[in-house]
Each structure stands twice: as structure tokens, then as C-alpha cells.
């Protein structure tokens, strides 16, 4: 029997989930509706929840992912208290030489972590989020960190640097993405054929 496009797309998502060691695909249920993937079921930690969403986006033709996965910690794992989660994340930030965490505040309530404070660049804000995501016992991360660059960079220079990086990328067709920079805020406008390309453009910016 010939499978429908949605059935093939669903199988592709499942294959990505099974291939990813950080996700236990046995307890993840996948539904496809109008190029939207709906993820339901349980995963063992917050990192697995984020990874499952990224895996789904990697499938060709997927335009949106609704992540309804619930976190169900394995019974053999001792769940740290909110105070321990906060302390663990603070230490992980402190030990990471790529980020200055002196001005970052961490608070945890019922497993939900809130990051606040100031960093010098957007990638440091993004890195702090990844670090918090990976901490044991975390069920969600709210990132309210502000970015305050230590030096003034002209918008035109930022735009030029991004466009030059797009040209160097083997994934990106720079003619299909419009870059607009205003006050240090970058807007990427256009259409790409795959989430990986969108992700690449975002990471470059």
C-alpha cells in the first residue's frame, strides 16, 4: 500500500528521534497536520524535550513544531531541589570559560529556571540558555538576560559581516535572505527550503 506524504513525513520524524541518543523515542508520539508536527508523550529530561523539537524541524517539509512533551524523570534518578538546581547552574556558568557569568542571576521554582542579568553579546545569552537546559532537574528555562555590547558596532558593519558569512556558507543562498539591522537588532527575511538552512542563518547572525 502506498503511504501518504504525511505518513512518510511522520516516519522521517520518528527515524530522527530514534537516531538521537538523547531522546527516548519509545515514549514519544508523533502527529502530522498540515506540515505541523505535534509531539506528545514523555521524555526523561528537558534536554531531550528540546532535542526532540530540533529533530522534528530537521525533516524536510516541516514548517512548525508543537512541542507538548512532558518531562518524566526516571525513578532511579534523585531529583535535585530548586536550591541545588540553582547552585548547579551557577557553577556550570562559572566553569565555562567562554562566558562571563558575574552579572547573570539564576532562580529556580519548581524546576523552572529563570535567567536574568546582562551579558556583552547575544551568543553569551544563547550559551547561558544551553547550559541551563542541560542541568539535571530542569523542566523549563525562561531566559530574560539582556544584551549590552561593550563596544559600539555600526549597523552597516553588522549587516556586512552577516552577508559575508552567508556567502561563505555552503548551505545558504544569500540572494534569498534579506538582512536588516537596526540598533543592533537583526531581522532575517525571506524563504528557505529547509529548517537546517534557517538554523544556519540564525546561528551566523
Amino acid at each position: 500500500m502506498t503511504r501518504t506524504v504525511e505518513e512518510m513525513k511522520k516516519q522521517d520524524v520518528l527515524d530522527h528521534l530514534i537516531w538521537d541518543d538523547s531522546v527516548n523515542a519509545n515514549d514519544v508520539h508523533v502527529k502530522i497536520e498540515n506540515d505541523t508536527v505535534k509531539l506528545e508523550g514523555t521524555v526523561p529530561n528537558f534536554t531531550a524535550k528540546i532535542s526532540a523539537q530540533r529533530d522534528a524541524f530537521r525533516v524536510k517539509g516541516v514548517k512548525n513544531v508543537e512541542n507538548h512533551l512532558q518531562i518524566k524523570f526516571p525513578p532511579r534518578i534523585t531529583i535535585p531541589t530548586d536550591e541545588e538546581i540553582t547552585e548547579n547552574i551557577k557553577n556550570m556558568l562559572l566553569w565555562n570559560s567562554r562566558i562571563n557569568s558575574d552579572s547573570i542571576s539564576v532562580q529556580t521554582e519548581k524546576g523552572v529556571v529563570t535567567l536574568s542579568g546582562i551579558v556583552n553579546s547575544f551568543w553569551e545569552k544563547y550559551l547561558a540558555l544551553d547550559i541551563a537546559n542541560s542541568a539535571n532537574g530542569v523542566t523549563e528555562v525562561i531566559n530574560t538576560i539582556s544584551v549590552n555590547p561593550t563596544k559600539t558596532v555600526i549597523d552597516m558593519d553588522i549587516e556586512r559581516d552577516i552577508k559575508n558569512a552567508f556567502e561563505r556558507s555552503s548551505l545558504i543562498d544569500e540572494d534569498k535572505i534579506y538582512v536588516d539591522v537596526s540598533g543592533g537588532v537583526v531581522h532575517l527575511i525571506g524563504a528557505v527550503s529547509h529548517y537546517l538552512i534557517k538554523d544556519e542563518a540564525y546561528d551566523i547572525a
Side-chain angles (χ1 to χ4, degrees):
M1 181 180 294
T2 304
R3 294 189 300 173
T4 66
V5 173
E6 289 191 346
E7 288 173 336
M8 290 188 291
K9 199 174 296 181
K10 177 180 178 179
Q11 187 59 54
D12 286 344
V13 173
L14 289 171
D15 289 343
H16 273 70
L17 295 173
I18 292 170
W19 176 81
D20 191 341
D21 289 339
S22 67
V23 179
N24 183 359
N26 293 329
D27 297 319
V28 177
H29 309 290
V30 178
K31 296 180 181 178
I32 308 285
E33 293 181 8
N34 300 322
D35 295 330
T36 294
V37 175
K38 295 183 179 181
L39 300 175
E40 299 175 347
T42 61
V43 287
N45 52 56
F46 189 65
T47 299
K49 178 176 181 177
I50 298 301
S51 295
Q53 180 171 319
R54 290 175 177 171
D55 290 340
F57 264 124
R58 291 180 184 275
V59 173
K60 186 176 181 179
V62 172
K63 296 180 180 178
N64 186 39
V65 177
E66 295 181 8
N67 193 346
H68 303 298
L69 291 170
Q70 301 295 313
I71 297 172
K72 184 179 179 181
F73 296 110
R76 65 183 181 277
I77 294 180
T78 301
I79 307 302
T81 64
D82 287 342
E83 291 76 14
E84 290 171 333
I85 292 174
T86 295
E87 191 63 27
N88 290 340
I89 293 175
K90 285 182 177 179
N91 288 332
M92 292 164 70
L93 290 169
L94 184 64
W95 296 333
N96 194 303
S97 60
R98 297 179 59 204
I99 187 171
N100 183 355
S101 61
D102 292 344
S103 299
I104 297 178
S105 175
V106 182
Q107 292 181 316
T108 308
E109 184 175 352
K110 296 181 180 179
V112 178
V113 175
T114 300
L115 301 175
S116 58
I118 300 173
V119 292
N120 296 328
S121 59
F122 183 78
W123 67 262
E124 288 178 286
K125 174 177 179 174
Y126 194 68
L127 177 58
L129 174 64
D130 278 349
I131 290 172
N133 283 345
S134 66
N136 185 30
V138 173
T139 59
E140 184 181 352
V141 179
I142 301 171
N143 191 355
T144 64
I145 295 175
S146 300
V147 178
N148 184 22
T150 55
K151 63 178 181 179
T152 301
V153 181
I154 299 175
D155 289 341
M156 290 177 60
D157 293 336
I158 298 174
E159 182 178 327
R160 183 191 64 243
D161 289 345
I162 292 174
K163 288 180 177 179
N164 288 341
F166 282 176
E167 290 179 3
R168 294 192 297 269
S169 172
S170 60
L171 285 177
I172 294 175
D173 183 350
E174 64 275 10
D175 294 331
K176 294 184 178 180
I177 301 178
Y178 174 72
V179 181
D180 178 67
V181 184
S182 178
V185 178
V186 178
H187 297 270
L188 302 178
I189 305 166
V192 293
S193 60
H194 198 283
Y195 176 77
L196 286 176
I197 302 174
K198 179 180 178 180
D199 204 30
E200 170 86 350
Y202 178 83
D203 283 345
I204 287 174

